[in-house]
Amino acid sequence: QLVPRAMPITFNFGDENRPELFEGKPKTPVTLLSGFLGTGKTTLLKFLLENQVGTRIGVVVNDVAAVNIDSQLVRRYESGLVEVVELQNGCVCCSSADDLFSAVQSVVMRSKDYPFEHIVVELSGVGEPEVVKRNWAVGLECSMPVALRTEVKRVVTVVDASTFSQDWLDNREAQDRNESPGDDAAGHDAKNRARLESVGRLLAEQVEWADVVVVNKTDLASQDELETTMQV
């Protein structure tokens, strides 16, 4: 009986994107900006854009709970040193990896002659850094051009010190915590299982996968709330 041999999967992305063309070349570092709705991700991104000096930064903005509101805010700070790309069809998670790759690829390809020094991707409130990093690894195995040109180097998670302890013990579905007034579950990517996880569990995952945790809104937190947040 003949046993079929496993054949490697290969993809052709065109001559200009042949894997050998990128061997030994530095990759543009990517930072994933994670955190629940209302923790201050966009405020942090705004501060970054307002204070970047001489550094070319590409930004991918997305928030499934407030369609394009964040991108409209950030767009005011576009300049020759910043390129902003919007994601409009769901959260940055396993089911929308192609959309994320397309957005990052758009940033990279627009700057062929003058490459960006860093790219920041703002995840939605129900985004999972682990899944995004795993998708990048799969993309590299498949020699996807964007994975050959970029590399996820850091995950930054923003938490709200005034609500952290409540969120940590919240058993609601994460999609309920990450909705703006007037939103409904239909606004979320139906294939994103993270939206159905408990608030506390998803919060723990976002914190555990972070290289840097930014404790925000400390001025709104009580002493007990701040101490609990820092201890956790």
Side-chain angles (χ1 to χ4, degrees):
Q1 182 178 0
L2 296 177
V3 179
R5 298 177 60 186
M7 298 294 291
I9 299 177
T10 57
F11 299 89
N12 184 357
F13 295 102
D15 289 341
E16 65 176 7
N17 292 310
R18 296 195 312 274
E20 57 268 24
L21 297 179
F22 304 100
E23 292 180 359
K25 293 186 177 180
K27 296 184 177 183
T28 301
V30 175
T31 291
L32 303 180
L33 187 57
S34 171
F36 282 178
L37 178 68
T39 56
K41 298 192 302 293
T42 302
T43 301
L44 178 60
L45 192 56
K46 171 184 171 183
F47 179 83
L48 172 66
L49 297 182
E50 287 179 329
N51 292 278
Q52 51 87 227
V53 179
T55 301
R56 282 177 56 80
I57 300 176
V59 180
V60 176
V61 179
N62 171 74
D63 196 321
V64 72
V67 179
N68 288 338
I69 295 299
D70 288 348
S71 61
Q72 291 170 10
L73 176 63
V74 172
R75 187 178 297 281
R76 291 185 300 167
Y77 301 96
E78 261 188 273
S79 68
L81 293 175
V82 177
E83 181 74 47
V84 179
V85 175
E86 299 176 22
L87 281 176
Q88 299 186 27
N89 58 339
C91 62
V92 179
C93 59
C94 56
S95 59
S96 55
D98 289 344
D99 185 35
L100 173 59
F101 284 159
S102 176
V104 176
Q105 179 78 358
S106 176
V107 171
V108 172
M109 295 304 291
R110 293 182 196 183
S111 57
K112 276 186 175 181
D113 300 326
Y114 190 15
F116 288 102
E117 296 167 73
H118 208 99
I119 296 175
V120 179
V121 177
E122 181 186 12
L123 306 186
S124 71
V126 293
E128 296 177 281
E130 174 191 7
V131 174
V132 176
K133 293 186 72 173
R134 188 163 64 238
N135 284 331
W136 232 275
V138 172
L140 185 59
E141 292 179 1
C142 298
S143 298
M144 293 186 68
V146 65
L148 295 172
R149 298 168 183 263
T150 62
E151 180 180 13
V152 177
K153 296 291 290 185
R154 182 167 297 165
V155 175
V156 176
T157 295
V158 184
V159 299
D160 181 344
S162 67
T163 63
F164 183 87
S165 57
Q166 298 175 19
D167 289 337
W168 190 262
L169 300 175
D170 195 336
N171 290 318
R172 290 180 299 161
E173 292 181 349
Q175 65 181 9
D176 295 332
R177 165 63 178 80
N178 287 280
E179 289 176 354
S180 294
D183 288 343
D184 54 40
H188 291 279
D189 189 332
K191 296 181 180 180
N192 177 21
R193 296 181 179 179
R195 68 190 177 89
L196 302 178
E197 290 185 4
S198 71
V199 173
R201 179 174 179 179
L202 181 57
L203 176 59
E205 291 177 0
Q206 291 184 350
V207 170
E208 289 172 358
W209 275 91
D211 300 296
V212 177
V213 176
V214 177
V215 180
N216 197 21
K217 300 188 179 182
T218 57
D219 57 321
L220 301 179
S222 66
Q223 187 62 32
D224 288 342
E225 289 172 335
L226 182 57
E227 290 179 357
T228 299
T229 302
M230 299 305 295
Q231 288 174 2
V232 173

